[in-house]
Amino acid sequence: MEKRYFTIGMAGHIDHGKTSLTKALTNVDTDRLKEEKERQISIELGFAPLYEDDEIQISVIDVPGHERFIRQMIAGVAGIDLVVLVVAADEGVMPQTREHLDILKFLGVKNGLVAISKIDRVDEEFFELVKDDILEELSGTVFEDAPFVLVDSLSKKGIDEMKALIIQKLKEQEMRDAKGAFRLPIDQVFTIKGQGTVVRGTVYEGTVVEGQILKIMPKGLGVRARQIQVHHSPAERAFAGQRTAINLSGVSKEDVERGDVLVSSEHFLVTKTLDVAIRVVEDLEHMVKQRMPIKLHIGTAEVMGRIVFFDRNEIKEENGEILCQLRLEEEILTKRGDRFILRRPSPQETIGGGWVIDPRGDKYRFGNQTIEELEKKKVGSPKERITTALMEAKCLPLAELIKRTSLDEFTVTEKLNEKEFVFFDGKEYTLQLLINSIEEDIFDRLQDYHLLYSMKIGINKAVLLQTLEKRVPKHLLDFVIENGITNHIFNRRGQFVSIASFVPHVPKNWAKRTENLVAELKKDGLKVRSLKEYFSDAGIPGTLEADLRRFLEEEEVLVLLDAQFAYHGDVFQQAVAKLRSQTGAEFDVGAAKDVLELSRKYMIPFLEKLDSMGLTKRLENKRIWNK
C-alpha cells in the first residue's frame, strides 16, 4: 500500500489550550518565538509530528487563535486534512471559535472532531451546560456530527483516546493528490548559515524530489531544491499533505516572501482577475457593496482587491452561492477549485469565502447573461475536465480519459483534436503545455550539467531521467526527448544527451594552460616526455587531468599510446603516413625504427596503438597493413 501523508490543524479561540494540547499529543512545544513565550499566545504557525507507521504519517499545525493573527490562521487551515476544534470546558464557544468555524466552512474542510479541553477545571454539572451550548453552536456546521473528545493537557486525560481517533479517521480518508504538479504555498522564509535560503509550507499537491528544478511564482524565479526536510529530518522527497522545509539554491531570502508559491510546472496561472463562487457569513455586521475593497486570503497569500457583482449592487444577508469576480491589486498563482477567504480590511471582519471557478477572468457586462456564462463555467467545460485529468496523470489513453471525465467518446475525441492536446506513441494523449514544461525542465538540467562538465559530450540519458521518472512516466519522457531531437533542441550521441547547440570545450579558466600543454606536446614531436609532466608543467591540477585527457582524446588532439605516453594528433597522423609510405605491405619493428628513428621505449607502444586502431595486424614478428 502506498504511504499516505496528512496534516491536521488545531483551531479555536485564544487561550483554549491548542498549543498545550498539541504538546500533550506530540511532546513538542510549538511556541518557538520569544514573544509567544512571554505573551503565552501563538503568533506564528507551529508544527509537530504526531504519528507515523508504514501506511500513514500525520503532522499537526497549531493555528493561532488571536484575532490579530487571523492571517496566519487562514494560511494554516488552508493546507490541512482534518481540523480539531478546541473549545475550553470553562468558557465554551467564543467569538474567534465562531469565526474559525466560518473559515473552515468556506475552505471546504469537511473532516473534523471536537476536543473539549481543560475538563479538570469544571465540575460535571457545569460541563453538561457547556456541552449543550457547544452542540447548539455547532449545529449546521461541519462539526455538527463530529465526534467529541474530552481532554485535559496537564493530567493527560483523554489524550490517548484522542490520538487513536485522529489516526482512525485519517486512515479512512483519501490522501491529497500526490500525482499532479507539485505546489507548495510558502508560509515561512528564513536562512540557515552555510546553507542559504529555506522555505517552509504544506505541500498542497504533487511530489518534490531533491535536486528538482522549481519556480517561485508569481515572480517566476528559477530555483533548485538542494535539500528537503520533513520534521527536521532529511528526506529525498516530500509528498502532498506533508509539512516540509526546502533549502533552495539560486535565490536569496530577500527575493522570497510569504504568499509566494513554489511549483514544478508552468501550467499554474498567474492572474489578477478571478471568476469565483462565494458565500457570505450568516450574520453580516456591515453590508457588502459593489466594488468594495476586500482582502483575499488564498493559500498563504494575502492580496488587496475589489469585489465585482454582475447581478446585484450589494449583499445585505446570506443568500446562497453568489457568482462574481475578484479584481486584485497584485498577481497571484491559483487554479480552478482553489478555496479562499474574503475579509473586510476596515473594519476587519470575515465576510465570506468560496472557490475559484476560472483564474482567467475577463471583463463582463452587468446582467443575467454574464451570470449564465459563469454558471456554465462553474460546472466545468469538457475541455477543462480533460485538461485536469491529463494534468494529474500526465498522459492517458482514450478509454481512461472517458472514464475519468465522465464524458462520452464523441465529446472527448472532438476536444482532443484541438491544438492543446498531443497524441503520442500511437496510444496516449498528453498536453502540449506539459510537453513544453518537461522539455524546459530537461533543458535546464542539461544546461546546468554542461556548466559543470563542459568537456563531456552530454549526460547519460538514464541519469538525466532518473529524478524525473519519479513524477513523469518514462515513455512520456522518452517522447519529449525524441521530439526535442527532431526539433533540434536536444542532441544524442549514443546514450549521451546534450543541448543541440552545445559544443564540448575546455573550461575558460583552464583554456590557456591547455593550449600551452598541447603546443609543448606538438613541439616535442615523437620523442615526448611523460604526459603527466606536461600537465604538471602547464599547472593543470590532478583533479582535472582525467577529464581533460579524455576530452583531448575524444577531440583527437591527443593520441594516448599507453598510460605514460601520448602524441599530438597531428604528429601521430604524420608518423603513420610516413611509416606507411616507406614500408611495404608488411614490416617488422626494426624497419619501423629505421623510418621513424624511435627507440624501443616509444616504438612498441606506437605499434601496439596501430594494432588497437585496426591500422595494422600483427603476425608473429611482422605487422601487415590493413587496407
Side-chain angles (χ1 to χ4, degrees):
M1 183 183 289
E2 185 179 0
K3 192 163 183 174
R4 297 178 297 152
Y5 303 88
F6 296 101
T7 301
I8 72 168
M10 297 283 181
H13 192 75
I14 184 174
D15 201 32
H16 275 208
K18 298 185 302 298
T19 302
S20 299
L21 186 53
T22 301
K23 186 176 180 181
L25 285 165
T26 65
N27 294 317
V28 175
D29 186 354
T30 56
D31 276 351
R32 321 177 308 284
L33 305 178
K34 181 183 176 185
E35 186 182 357
E36 291 177 327
K37 297 287 188 186
E38 289 173 351
R39 297 170 60 188
Q40 295 186 322
I41 60 171
S42 297
I43 298 171
E44 290 290 346
L45 303 172
F47 311 99
L50 174 71
Y51 177 78
E52 183 170 12
D53 61 20
D54 291 339
E55 60 176 289
I56 195 168
Q57 182 191 75
I58 305 172
S59 310
V60 182
I61 296 181
D62 173 18
V63 178
H66 194 283
E67 185 181 8
R68 285 175 54 197
F69 309 124
I70 197 76
R71 173 184 174 183
Q72 285 89 332
M73 184 266 168
I74 293 169
V77 169
I80 66 176
D81 304 289
L82 178 146
V83 174
V84 177
L85 185 70
V86 183
V87 184
D90 57 346
E91 289 192 346
V93 174
M94 298 293 282
Q96 270 76 58
T97 315
R98 297 186 186 94
E99 186 166 26
H100 282 206
L101 283 167
D102 282 334
I103 289 168
L104 295 171
K105 177 179 73 176
F106 296 136
L107 291 176
V109 177
K110 296 176 181 175
N111 199 8
L113 61 91
V114 180
I116 301 181
S117 63
K118 306 183 181 182
I119 58 171
D120 283 358
R121 292 193 181 186
V122 298
D123 56 35
E124 191 173 338
E125 186 178 346
F126 185 80
F127 172 73
E128 287 301 320
L129 292 172
V130 171
K131 186 177 177 181
D132 289 342
D133 176 53
I134 293 170
L135 285 170
E136 186 178 339
E137 289 284 352
L138 296 183
S139 177
T141 75
V142 66
F143 291 95
E144 183 174 27
D145 299 316
F148 274 70
V149 187
L150 311 181
V151 295
D152 192 277
S153 301
L154 296 179
S155 66
K156 299 293 180 74
K157 283 181 185 174
I159 296 299
D160 290 341
E161 291 85 345
M162 179 179 174
K163 190 170 183 177
L165 181 58
I166 290 170
I167 295 165
Q168 177 197 330
K169 285 181 74 69
L170 288 175
K171 284 195 172 183
E172 295 168 357
Q173 184 168 320
E174 288 296 314
M175 192 177 82
R176 288 168 179 264
D177 177 21
K179 295 176 183 175
F182 169 73
R183 177 164 57 143
L184 180 140
I186 296 167
D187 56 47
Q188 291 174 345
V189 186
F190 52 95
T191 55
I192 295 177
K193 191 173 182 180
Q195 297 294 318
T197 305
V198 177
V199 299
R200 187 182 280 148
T202 300
V203 183
Y204 266 32
E205 56 194 321
T207 304
V208 62
V209 297
E210 202 169 68
Q212 189 171 345
I213 293 167
L214 305 167
K215 281 202 170 179
I216 293 172
M217 301 298 282
K219 298 180 172 77
L221 302 173
V223 295
R224 182 188 291 276
R226 286 176 57 190
Q227 293 176 312
I228 297 171
Q229 281 198 351
V230 177
H231 297 314
H232 307 291
S233 297
E236 289 185 4
R237 65 189 76 182
F239 301 90
Q242 281 189 313
R243 284 293 306 174
T244 184
I246 304 177
N247 177 207
L248 302 177
S249 63
V251 71
S252 69
K253 178 179 180 289
E254 290 68 33
D255 294 329
V256 192
E257 59 188 321
R258 181 185 192 140
D260 287 341
V261 186
L262 193 60
V263 297
S264 64
S265 169
E266 293 287 340
H267 84 267
F268 291 108
L269 287 165
V270 171
T271 180
K272 292 172 75 172
T273 307
L274 312 178
D275 293 340
V276 298
I278 69 165
R279 291 181 182 272
V280 297
V281 297
E282 289 186 12
D283 302 313
L284 274 174
E285 287 190 34
H286 304 87
M287 193 179 295
V288 179
K289 295 186 177 181
Q290 175 74 290
R291 298 185 182 275
M292 184 185 87
I294 50 91
K295 190 178 287 186
L296 170 72
H297 295 268
I298 187 163
T300 57
E302 177 185 8
V303 184
M304 292 296 298
R306 292 185 181 274
I307 188 165
V308 178
F309 300 116
F310 301 106
D311 61 348
R312 70 197 70 203
N313 286 308
E314 58 187 30
I315 304 173
K316 297 177 181 176
E317 59 185 18
E318 194 275 331
N319 59 351
E321 194 170 59
I322 300 162
L323 304 182
C324 57
Q325 192 173 80
L326 303 178
R327 296 180 186 172
L328 309 176
E329 295 178 5
E330 302 170 46
E331 288 186 324
I332 61 164
L333 179 140
T334 188
K335 63 183 268 193
R336 176 181 167 88
D338 280 357
R339 295 274 181 167
F340 60 83
I341 298 297
L342 294 178
R343 284 182 51 85
R344 187 191 304 273
S346 180
Q348 290 192 13
E349 65 169 333
T350 299
I351 58 175
W355 62 282
V356 177
I357 296 173
D358 187 354
R360 299 158 294 192
D362 206 344
K363 289 196 173 179
Y364 313 119
R365 292 179 179 274
F366 188 93
N368 288 333
Q369 186 177 347
T370 294
I371 295 299
E372 287 171 12
E373 288 301 314
L374 290 177
E375 283 284 2
K376 289 178 187 175
K377 276 192 181 187
K378 179 181 157 189
V379 173
S381 69
K383 188 173 179 179
E384 285 172 332
R385 293 194 213 175
I386 295 168
T387 300
T388 299
L390 289 175
M391 278 298 181
E392 291 175 354
K394 304 297 186 285
C395 53
L396 290 169
L398 178 62
E400 185 62 24
L401 267 172
I402 292 168
K403 180 180 172 184
R404 292 198 183 199
T405 58
S406 301
L407 297 168
D408 62 85
E409 184 175 353
F410 176 80
T411 303
V412 175
T413 305
E414 183 185 43
K415 293 300 173 188
L416 287 171
N417 285 326
E418 297 184 22
K419 64 181 180 180
E420 291 94 335
F421 305 104
V422 176
F423 186 60
F424 74 102
D425 279 3
K427 59 183 179 181
E428 293 200 47
Y429 291 89
T430 188
L431 293 162
Q432 185 62 54
L433 199 66
L434 277 175
I435 290 174
N436 295 345
S437 177
I438 295 165
E439 190 178 86
E440 184 179 339
D441 196 345
I442 291 171
F443 189 94
D444 289 344
R445 289 168 187 270
L446 288 172
Q447 200 166 47
D448 289 349
Y449 187 85
H450 294 330
L451 283 171
L452 288 171
Y453 306 104
S454 64
M455 292 185 288
K456 294 185 178 180
I457 59 173
I459 184 172
N460 188 299
K461 182 183 171 185
V463 175
L464 172 66
L465 301 185
Q466 190 174 20
T467 304
L468 291 169
E469 281 178 24
K470 294 170 183 173
R471 54 191 177 86
V472 179
K474 185 178 183 300
H475 63 289
L476 178 55
L477 293 172
D478 289 336
F479 170 75
V480 173
I481 287 179
E482 293 305 316
N483 188 60
I485 291 169
T486 302
N487 294 324
H488 308 293
I489 296 164
F490 305 130
N491 188 29
R492 185 181 60 236
R493 288 166 65 178
Q495 75 267 38
F496 297 101
V497 181
S498 67
I499 293 172
S501 59
F502 173 72
V503 177
H505 59 276
V506 177
K508 287 182 181 179
N509 50 334
W510 299 109
K512 188 64 181 173
R513 296 189 186 196
T514 303
E515 285 176 23
N516 294 339
L517 181 153
V518 171
E520 282 296 311
L521 189 69
K522 189 172 185 178
K523 187 181 77 174
D524 289 347
L526 293 173
K527 295 176 181 178
V528 292
R529 296 172 286 145
S530 160
L531 186 57
K532 209 160 191 65
E533 290 182 51
Y534 288 97
F535 275 94
S536 179
D537 291 349
I540 295 172
T543 52
L544 198 63
E545 187 177 328
D547 283 347
L548 189 51
R549 274 190 188 210
R550 183 175 55 250
F551 170 74
L552 293 174
E553 187 177 21
E554 286 171 352
E555 295 294 307
E556 299 181 352
V557 175
L558 270 187
V559 177
L560 296 171
L561 299 185
D562 55 20
Q564 187 176 10
F565 297 116
Y567 286 154
H568 187 283
D570 293 347
V571 171
F572 178 80
Q573 293 301 332
Q574 290 164 11
V576 172
K578 184 177 180 181
L579 184 61
R580 187 186 279 271
S581 67
Q582 295 185 30
T583 56
E586 58 182 45
F587 63 94
D588 59 18
V589 175
K593 285 173 68 176
D594 291 341
V595 172
L596 297 179
E597 300 177 350
L598 285 175
S599 66
R600 191 173 183 83
K601 177 174 75 170
Y602 297 114
M603 197 72 255
I604 298 304
F606 181 86
L607 294 176
E608 289 177 347
K609 185 68 176 179
L610 296 184
D611 295 341
S612 69
M613 293 174 71
L615 296 173
T616 58
K617 180 180 177 183
R618 183 174 178 178
L619 195 63
E620 295 179 351
N621 293 327
K622 293 182 180 290
R623 278 179 169 80
I624 301 166
W625 288 105
N626 290 322
K627 292 181 181 179

